[in-house]
Amino acid sequence: MAGQKIQRQTGVALWRQIADRIRTSINHGDFDETGMVPPETTLALQFGVNRHTIRSALAALAQEGIVRAVQGRGTLIERKERLSFPISKRTRFSQGIGDQVRETRSVLLASVEEAANAELARQLKLETGTPLIRLETLGQADHRPVSRATSWFPADRFGNIAEIYQATGSITKAFKELGVPDYVRVVTEITATHADDGDLTDLQLSPGAIVLITQALNSDLDNVPVQYSISRFAADRVRFTVEN
Amino acid sequence: MAGQKIQRQTGVALWRQIADRIRTSINHGDFDETGMVPPETTLALQFGVNRHTIRSALAALAQEGIVRAVQGRGTLIERKERLSFPISKRTRFSQGIGDQVRETRSVLLASVEEAANAELARQLKLETGTPLIRLETLGQADHRPVSRATSWFPADRFGNIAEIYQATGSITKAFKELGVPDYVRVVTEITATHADDGDLTDLQLSPGAIVLITQALNSDLDNVPVQYSISRFAADRVRFTVEN
DNA sequence: TATGGTTGTCTATATCAATAGACATTTAAA
DNA sequence: TTTAAATGTCTATTGATATAGACAACCATA
């Protein structure tokens, strides 16, 4: 874990930088032998800060449920996470990570009908103003939120996709019922930014966290666009894998 | 730009959160009509903070060279950026973004010979301890650093790749001279984290910035691994595009 | 049960971050 | 030339961040 120094007077508090670094180390498996974080005094020495600053960092990680301090013993690691998430022609939420967790689930937060703006129309190869169904969904793995997504579907083909999706909890199944036996990922754009208000709430992140954003287009086997999605992933919980 | 609120007491200073948001807005083209950032008083009202806090944020962006304040006129946008970076079978640094900038360049920072550890051996399908050439490189677009990469090559096939790379400034050309007329990207893993010390220096980032990390394996046309790379991109300067 | 190592709590102090207000300076336009 | 609108500079105050030190409370184990 040692190596790079932490930065002072940058607008990012030392305790937050240190919390981020310790979280990364935990997810990297650096403390797997003991199952514990090094003692506060050791960390204070390593990072070159006061022990109280370390305590602030650990308190933040405890708040996230990642560690738990036990007086007299040390600070135990409660949970580590970074799911590997494949991106390919056949990218689906549940399939790729199904073997990494016990349970994956997708929850419908909201659905509305709206008209395509210029950008959506371009992506889905429709006229501006074409009616679309917009779904807001939350992807979970073992009851922990992993991603939140906004998806648009052409309303003429998929007018009642919200109901079917809510019943089945799967876009793939909903597509099947609506006459789309299979579909492929055409393009995926990936960016990263800091978590916004909605991310903090829906993904249960702490402020300053990073989200990975994918913008993806799915088409049916006749190459007709069926779904355009913008998904936001908790960056410290996932890793994307692009297979070619 | 309006919408989500900024977070208080999170370990990330308000001025830094606001600087990040304004940078994002600039890159998104929100102020393209005027070429200027809104007045400080307007921003202060929008973000619900004091004007001095806005001034701190703008000072940080000025330090990055993104805006320039002119007394009496306003704060001009000097530069916006987010290069689109395609990831596909034929991912190369210069080709993909060649049409987006005037000049791309790749600089060799260091090269050493070292033995493959277990992880590198697994990736490159070699025995542990096999000699490798490690190159540290810096990718630039229009004289602005975009990515820093560490690459490993089997030493037996590519013993003098460093010299050729330095001469040509291109991995593709170096491969050609060493008997690899073509190569393909086998797999790319993408993660995101906060910038470390080396990122701040090499990529000229400000602390708290985000880096996108790719771990990629390239193989020759006989499917023999020729290069394993870990690259770190300034997240606010790039966007990855995965074509399937 | 005694001891060393660990986390928990308290006080005190210095610096950074943010707010508040006033006024100067510069630019562009009326 | 005047005026409005914008950035620049200054002082003062409050709360968050970080350091420093001391000691209490707890746990495992010798």
Side-chain angles (χ1 to χ4, degrees):
Chain A
M1 181 170 67
Q4 58 230 28
K5 268 173 286 183
I6 51 177
Q7 313 282 323
R8 285 162 193 267
Q9 297 169 20
T10 63
V12 183
L14 296 183
W15 64 263
R16 171 143 296 285
Q17 296 182 54
I18 292 169
D20 291 341
R21 293 262 297 272
I22 294 175
R23 190 196 300 103
T24 301
S25 287
I26 290 173
N27 289 335
H28 194 256
D30 290 355
F31 311 129
D32 282 4
E33 287 189 16
T34 60
M36 299 176 68
V37 171
E40 295 170 353
T41 48
T42 306
L43 290 171
L45 205 64
Q46 279 183 11
F47 284 107
V49 301
N50 192 273
R51 180 177 155 234
H52 293 294
T53 308
I54 297 292
R55 284 180 61 73
S56 297
L58 291 176
L61 294 178
Q63 184 64 31
E64 294 178 43
I66 291 177
V67 300
R68 178 169 54 90
V70 179
Q71 190 171 10
R73 291 184 58 193
T75 303
L76 284 61
I77 295 169
E78 290 278 277
R79 173 167 51 73
K80 27 182 297 198
E81 47 193 348
R82 178 160 276 182
L83 296 170
S84 189
F85 200 91
I87 293 182
S88 69
K89 265 193 174 11
R90 319 195 66 75
T91 297
R92 286 115 176 80
F93 178 75
S94 58
Q95 284 185 4
I97 56 175
D99 54 346
Q100 301 176 54
V101 295
R102 293 184 296 279
E103 184 191 6
T104 61
R105 210 156 65 96
S106 197
V107 180
L108 181 65
L109 300 179
S111 75
V112 294
E113 178 159 347
E114 64 185 17
N117 63 22
E119 168 67 6
L120 286 170
R122 189 178 66 78
Q123 292 286 356
L124 290 166
K125 295 196 185 112
L126 299 169
E127 298 293 317
T128 303
T130 306
L132 301 177
I133 306 291
R134 187 182 86 210
L135 297 191
E136 307 279 350
T137 58
L138 186 66
Q140 295 178 319
D142 284 343
H143 302 283
R144 300 238 348 133
V146 170
S147 68
R148 53 192 290 248
T150 305
S151 301
W152 288 268
F153 307 83
D156 59 344
R157 291 181 71 183
F158 309 110
N160 55 341
I161 194 167
E163 294 79 44
I164 306 178
Y165 176 75
Q166 188 144 39
T168 61
S170 159
I171 292 283
T172 306
K173 288 178 185 165
F175 272 144
K176 257 190 195 129
E177 290 208 24
L178 291 167
V180 179
D182 199 4
Y183 61 100
V184 295
R185 176 69 59 97
V186 178
V187 61
T188 309
E189 286 198 346
I190 301 168
T191 54
T193 183
H194 287 102
D196 67 22
D197 229 31
D199 299 326
L200 300 181
T201 312
D202 291 346
L203 299 179
Q204 293 171 18
L205 292 174
S206 48
I210 300 173
V211 290
L212 279 160
I213 304 172
T214 64
Q215 300 175 269
L217 182 67
N218 285 330
S219 289
D220 63 18
L221 298 186
D222 298 327
N223 207 27
V224 177
V226 293
Q227 176 185 16
Y228 180 71
S229 302
I230 300 177
S231 304
R232 303 170 70 92
F233 295 80
D236 63 343
R237 293 177 199 159
V238 301
R239 135 196 302 134
F240 292 142
T241 307
V242 184
E243 307 268 2
N244 291 121
Chain B
M1 184 169 62
Q4 57 229 31
K5 269 173 285 184
I6 51 178
Q7 314 281 322
R8 284 163 194 266
Q9 297 169 24
T10 63
V12 182
L14 297 184
W15 64 262
R16 171 144 297 283
Q17 296 182 54
I18 292 169
D20 291 340
R21 293 263 296 273
I22 294 176
R23 191 196 300 103
T24 301
S25 288
I26 290 173
N27 289 334
H28 193 256
D30 290 356
F31 311 130
D32 282 3
E33 287 191 18
T34 60
M36 299 175 68
V37 169
E40 294 170 352
T41 47
T42 305
L43 290 170
L45 205 64
Q46 279 183 11
F47 285 107
V49 300
N50 192 275
R51 179 177 154 233
H52 293 293
T53 308
I54 297 292
R55 284 181 60 75
S56 298
L58 292 177
L61 294 178
Q63 185 65 31
E64 295 179 41
I66 291 177
V67 300
R68 179 170 53 91
V70 178
Q71 190 170 8
R73 292 183 58 192
T75 303
L76 285 61
I77 294 169
E78 290 279 277
R79 174 169 49 77
K80 32 182 292 196
E81 48 193 345
R82 179 160 274 184
L83 296 171
S84 189
F85 200 91
I87 292 181
S88 70
K89 263 194 177 8
R90 317 195 69 74
T91 296
R92 285 115 177 81
F93 178 76
S94 57
Q95 286 184 1
I97 56 176
D99 55 346
Q100 299 175 55
V101 294
R102 292 185 296 280
E103 185 191 6
T104 62
R105 209 154 65 96
S106 198
V107 180
L108 180 64
L109 299 180
S111 77
V112 294
E113 177 158 348
E114 64 185 17
N117 63 22
E119 169 68 4
L120 286 170
R122 190 178 66 78
Q123 292 287 355
L124 289 166
K125 294 195 183 113
L126 300 170
E127 298 294 317
T128 303
T130 304
L132 301 177
I133 306 291
R134 188 182 83 209
L135 297 191
E136 306 279 351
T137 57
L138 187 66
Q140 295 178 318
D142 285 344
H143 303 282
R144 300 236 350 132
V146 170
S147 69
R148 53 191 290 249
T150 304
S151 301
W152 289 269
F153 307 85
D156 58 344
R157 293 182 69 184
F158 308 110
N160 56 342
I161 194 167
E163 294 78 42
I164 305 178
Y165 176 74
Q166 188 146 39
T168 60
S170 160
I171 292 283
T172 306
K173 288 179 186 165
F175 272 145
K176 259 193 194 124
E177 289 209 25
L178 291 167
V180 180
D182 201 3
Y183 60 101
V184 296
R185 177 68 61 98
V186 178
V187 61
T188 308
E189 286 197 346
I190 301 166
T191 55
T193 184
H194 287 103
D196 68 23
D197 230 31
D199 299 328
L200 300 182
T201 313
D202 291 346
L203 300 179
Q204 293 172 18
L205 292 173
S206 47
I210 300 172
V211 289
L212 280 158
I213 303 172
T214 64
Q215 303 178 55
L217 181 68
N218 285 330
S219 290
D220 65 17
L221 298 186
D222 297 327
N223 207 28
V224 176
V226 292
Q227 176 186 15
Y228 180 71
S229 302
I230 300 177
S231 306
R232 304 171 69 92
F233 296 79
D236 63 343
R237 295 177 199 158
V238 302
R239 137 195 301 134
F240 292 142
T241 308
V242 184
E243 306 269 0
N244 292 121

